């Protein structure tokens, strides 16, 4: 069975929910209390329920993982990743305002992998279309990452 050599995740509405807004719409400073992360207005930042299990699966299968986020507030996104204690899980992180095409060009250069060896998850169809055009297997995430979507996508990738 063929598995992707690199799995790339978007952040907002893909790996996490920031109280129903993009992370660059939050209001720092962030407060961490009892493993809960809130912004100044009380918006809760949380990973979707299956994300830890998905990241663990990637670790267990020795699949490299990366982030591609075009947030206008990359420092906030990195701070939230730190508060969520998942920064170390990602081999690569392209987090800055730009096209996903630029993110993937940087990921390809940094990883040395071909686009056809990558699997990408994002909640925006325009990103799916753009990155899919590179030859990256690109999966639309409708309501946050789930284990069901993740494993079905791995199966689809293997059948390509």
């Amino acid at each position: 069975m063929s598995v992707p050599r690199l799995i790339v995740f978007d952040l907002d509405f893909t790996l996490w929910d920031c109280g129903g807004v993009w992370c660059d719409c939050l209001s720092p400073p962030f407060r961490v209390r009892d493993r809960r992360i809130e912004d100044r207005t009380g918006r809760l930042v949380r990973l979707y329920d299956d994300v830890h299990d998905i990241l663990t699966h990637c670790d267990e299968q020795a699949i490299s993982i990366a982030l591609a986020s075009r947030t206008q507030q990359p420092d906030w996104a990195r701070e939230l990743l730190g508060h969520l204690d998942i920064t170390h899980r990602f081999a690569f992180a392209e987090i800055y305002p730009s096209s996903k095409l630029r993110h993937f060009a940087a990921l390809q250069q940094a990883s040395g992998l071909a686009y056809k060896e990558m699997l990408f998850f994002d909640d925006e169809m325009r990103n799916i279309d753009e990155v899919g055009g590179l030859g990256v297997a690109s999966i639309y995430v409708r309501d946050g990452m789930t284990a069901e979507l993740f494993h079905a996508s791995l199966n689809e990738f293997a059948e390509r």
Side-chain angles (χ1 to χ4, degrees):
M1 182 160 116
S2 176
V3 296
R5 305 244 338 256
L6 181 66
I7 298 178
V8 183
F9 297 98
D10 174 51
L11 288 172
D12 294 323
F13 301 108
T14 300
L15 286 188
W16 66 30
D17 175 54
C18 295
V21 299
W22 294 290
C23 75
D24 50 18
C25 296
L26 294 172
S27 297
F30 302 113
R31 295 184 302 259
V32 182
R33 284 189 245 161
D34 300 323
R35 302 183 70 116
R36 289 175 49 101
I37 303 165
E38 295 179 358
D39 76 352
R40 184 179 47 174
T41 68
R43 280 200 179 100
L44 182 65
V45 177
R46 68 173 188 87
L47 294 173
Y48 289 105
D49 293 342
D50 294 343
V51 168
H52 279 293
D53 289 342
I54 290 167
L55 299 180
T56 297
H57 177 86
C58 292
D59 289 345
E60 289 171 348
Q61 299 301 311
I63 301 170
S64 292
I65 54 178
L67 296 169
S69 174
R70 59 179 187 191
T71 179
Q72 298 295 316
Q73 296 292 342
D75 291 342
W76 296 359
R78 290 180 188 283
E79 181 180 347
L80 292 170
L81 288 164
H83 289 317
L84 291 163
D85 195 28
I86 60 171
T87 306
H88 65 282
R89 315 257 338 232
F90 300 95
F92 310 99
E94 298 298 319
I95 304 174
Y96 45 85
S98 182
S99 162
K100 295 283 176 148
L101 295 177
R102 180 173 167 210
H103 291 147
F104 272 82
L107 289 169
Q108 183 186 43
Q109 184 172 23
S111 69
L113 298 172
Y115 290 133
K116 68 181 181 179
E117 298 176 284
M118 300 178 189
L119 177 61
F120 173 52
F121 293 93
D122 196 293
D123 68 305
E124 291 188 59
M125 221 41 222
R126 63 182 171 157
N127 296 330
I128 296 301
D129 293 341
E130 194 173 62
V131 174
L134 297 172
V136 176
S138 300
I139 308 298
Y140 176 65
V141 178
R142 184 177 308 276
D143 296 308
M145 280 304 302
T146 64
E148 180 180 2
L149 175 64
F150 179 75
H151 291 291
S153 301
L154 286 180
N155 290 338
E156 277 182 42
F157 188 93
E159 294 170 5
R160 285 176 70 175

